[in-house]
Amino acid sequence: MYTKDQLNDLYERIVKTIDISNEMFDVAEKEYTDLGNWIDQATPQYKILIYSQGSFALGTVIKPIEDSEDYDLDLVCEFEQQYGLSARALKCEVVKPLLERYKKTKSDIENKRRCWHVEYEDIPNFHMDIIPAVNRRSHIDITDHNEETDTYDYIGSNPLGYIEWFKNKKAERRKILLENYCLEHSATLKCSADIDEIKEYHLKTPLQKAIQILKRHRDIMFKDDTKHLKPISIIITTIAAELYRNEDNIVDTLTNILENAEAYIKKNMIGSKYHIDNPTYTGTEKENFADKWNEHPERADAFFKWLKKAKTDLVDKRIYDMFRTQLAENFTHAFGATTTQRVFTDIAKEERAAIENQTKKIVTSTGAISSTGSVSIPRSHHYGK
C-alpha cells in the first residue's frame, strides 16, 4: 500500500539509478570540447562551432539499458556561413573527412539521415551523432539525406533556441530549487559566481525527471523494436514541456503529461496530418518533429499504444493498492529488472539499518514499515533475510 509521497520517492530513486553520473557527464563535455577545439585548429578556412543538443543539453540523458551499450552524444557542427558548399559537399566532402582525421574509429563512420554516427576507439562509453549545419542567424540549416534518392538538402532547425525554450518551461521550478539549494549550502556558496557554476544537471526539475522516466519506460517497451516504431525523444520532450504546469513532484508531472498527451497531439493536427512542431523555429516552413508519422502511420499508432501502457504502468490508481512485491513486478516490466532490483535492494538495506537503529515501526492499519508507525520492531527481527 503506497501514498503519493512514497510513490514519488520511488520515482526519485528510479531517476537516480538511470541518470548519468556527474563524472560521466563531465567526460562527455570534455570530449565534444576537445573535438571542437581540434576542428577549429584544423580548419583555418572556416569558422566552426561545436555544441551539444538533445538530452545532454536538456538534462534528460539516461543510462543505456545495458552497461555494455554507449551513451548517445548529439552534437551540432555549425559553420558560420555556407561558404558556397552544397548540403552534400558540406556533409560528405568537408565534415566527414574531418571526423575521419580526428581519431581512429571503431568502424566506418555511418551516414545517417541528418548526421554522421561516429564511434572512436579511445572514447569508451560514448558514440557521437554529429550534425553538419550552417548558421542562418535566426536558425540553422542542417543537412538532410534522402536515402531513397541519395540526395542532400538543407532544412531548417533551431537546437539552441529549443534549449532556451525548454529552460524557460522549467525556469520557475528551477528557481525554487536553486533558492532551496542555496539555503542548504549557504556555508559553501560564498558568492554569486559559485551559484552560476551550479550546472543544469545538478538541479533537475520534476519535468526533467519525468522525461527521464518516460524515456526509460519507452526503451524497455521497445527494446526489441526492429521496425523503427520506438517513439523519438524530441517528441516526448516537446509534449512533456508543453504540458508541464510547474508541478513540484514527479507523480503529478507524469500524471498531467500522460493524461493530456493524446488530446494535445490531436489538438495540434492540421487536417489529417500530425504536427508536433519545433516551438522555436521561425523559418518559412515549420520543423515538424512528427513528420515521419504522416509517412508511416504505424509510428503514430505505436506512440499512442506506448502512452496507454505508460499511463497504466506509472500513474494508474491501482498502483497505490499494490504490495511491495506487486509493485516491484510492475516496475520490472516498466523499467527493467536491473534498475528495479537496484532500487528495491537499496530500500531493503535502508530499512534493515533503520530497524537496527529503532527508527522504523509498523503501521498497524496496513502492516507497512514506516517512521510514523506505532509498533516497534525488535532488533532481532530477520527482515529481508
Side-chain angles (χ1 to χ4, degrees), residues 7 16 45-46 158 174 179 196 203 210 280 294 319 348 368 376:
L7 183 60
K16 288 181 180 179
Q45 69 274 40
Y46 304 121
N158 189 11
R174 188 175 192 276
E179 289 172 351
D196 291 338
L203 284 178
T280 67
N294 299 315
I319 293 173
S376 297

Side-chain angles (χ1 to χ4, degrees), residues 29 55 80 144 154 172 184 187 189 195-196 198 241 256 279 282-283 293-294 312 334 339 355 358 380:
E29 194 171 51
S55 59
E80 185 181 58
D144 183 63
Y154 285 115
E172 185 176 350
E184 293 173 8
L189 294 174
I195 297 174
D196 291 338
I198 301 173
N256 175 30
T282 58
W293 288 12
N294 299 315
T312 299
T339 296
I355 290 169
Q358 292 289 279
S380 60

Side-chain angles (χ1 to χ4, degrees), residues 200-250:
E200 288 289 322
Y201 63 89
H202 285 156
L203 284 178
K204 281 190 169 61
T205 62
L207 170 61
Q208 292 161 294
K209 294 174 180 178
I211 291 170
Q212 289 178 295
I213 285 174
L214 291 172
K215 287 167 63 175
R216 171 57 89 228
H217 184 277
R218 170 210 59 187
D219 288 349
I220 294 297
M221 180 172 172
F222 290 90
K223 61 183 172 62
D224 298 319
D225 173 43
T226 59
K227 298 180 179 179
H228 306 291
L229 299 178
K230 177 180 172 180
I232 61 175
S233 295
I234 192 66
I235 289 180
I236 296 172
T237 302
T238 301
I239 294 172
E242 289 282 24
L243 294 175
Y244 185 56
R245 295 296 177 265
N246 198 37
E247 291 90 355
D248 65 359
N249 65 85
I250 301 173

Side-chain angles (χ1 to χ4, degrees), residues 6-31:
Q6 289 172 324
L7 183 60
N8 195 73
D9 176 69
L10 282 168
Y11 284 142
E12 291 280 1
R13 292 171 181 268
I14 292 289
V15 168
K16 288 181 180 179
T17 303
I18 64 176
D19 199 4
I20 186 173
S21 69
N22 292 344
E23 292 76 17
M24 288 297 287
F25 192 99
D26 290 340
V27 168
E29 194 171 51
K30 180 182 183 302
E31 291 302 341

Side-chain angles (χ1 to χ4, degrees), residues 57-85:
L58 301 174
T60 59
V61 65
I62 59 174
K63 294 177 181 176
I65 294 177
E66 302 293 339
D67 291 338
S68 59
E69 297 175 340
D70 287 348
Y71 288 94
D72 183 4
L73 181 54
D74 295 317
L75 303 176
V76 176
C77 180
E78 181 183 314
F79 286 64
E80 185 181 58
Q81 55 182 283
Q82 189 172 335
Y83 296 105
L85 297 167

Side-chain angles (χ1 to χ4, degrees), residues 35-177:
L35 173 62
N37 291 336
W38 183 88
I39 286 181
D40 182 57
Q41 295 174 5
T43 56
Q45 69 274 40
Y46 304 121
K47 288 188 177 181
I48 303 174
L49 180 65
I50 300 283
Y51 54 89
S52 67
Q53 66 154 9
S55 59
F56 271 89
L58 301 174
T60 59
V61 65
I62 59 174
K63 294 177 181 176
I65 294 177
E66 302 293 339
D67 291 338
S68 59
E69 297 175 340
D70 287 348
Y71 288 94
D72 183 4
L73 181 54
D74 295 317
L75 303 176
V76 176
C77 180
E78 181 183 314
F79 286 64
E80 185 181 58
Q81 55 182 283
Q82 189 172 335
Y83 296 105
L85 297 167
S86 67
R88 180 189 292 273
L90 180 71
K91 186 174 185 182
C92 301
E93 298 172 19
V94 177
V95 174
K96 184 182 181 183
L98 284 170
L99 299 177
E100 290 174 328
R101 288 168 51 199
Y102 177 54
K103 287 183 177 181
K104 187 175 182 180
T105 60
K106 294 180 181 178
S107 59
D108 290 341
I109 295 177
E110 181 183 354
N111 190 1
K112 301 179 79 171
R113 180 183 173 188
R114 295 176 179 177
C115 68
W116 290 112
H117 177 88
V118 190
E119 298 181 34
Y120 290 110
E121 285 191 351
D122 63 344
I123 303 178
N125 305 117
F126 291 98
H127 65 253
M128 299 182 184
D129 285 342
I130 300 164
I131 303 171
V134 174
N135 183 286
R136 302 296 190 194
R137 295 190 179 182
S138 63
H139 66 280
I140 62 173
D141 278 350
I142 62 178
T143 57
D144 183 63
H145 179 216
N146 185 321
E147 293 183 354
E148 294 181 3
T149 61
D150 193 28
T151 56
Y152 291 79
D153 290 301
Y154 285 115
I155 60 171
S157 186
N158 189 11
L160 291 180
Y162 187 94
I163 293 167
E164 193 62 31
W165 169 82
F166 187 82
K167 286 182 179 180
N168 289 335
K169 287 292 184 179
K170 64 183 179 66
E172 185 176 350
R173 180 53 50 189
R174 188 175 192 276
K175 180 181 178 182
I176 294 171
L177 292 174

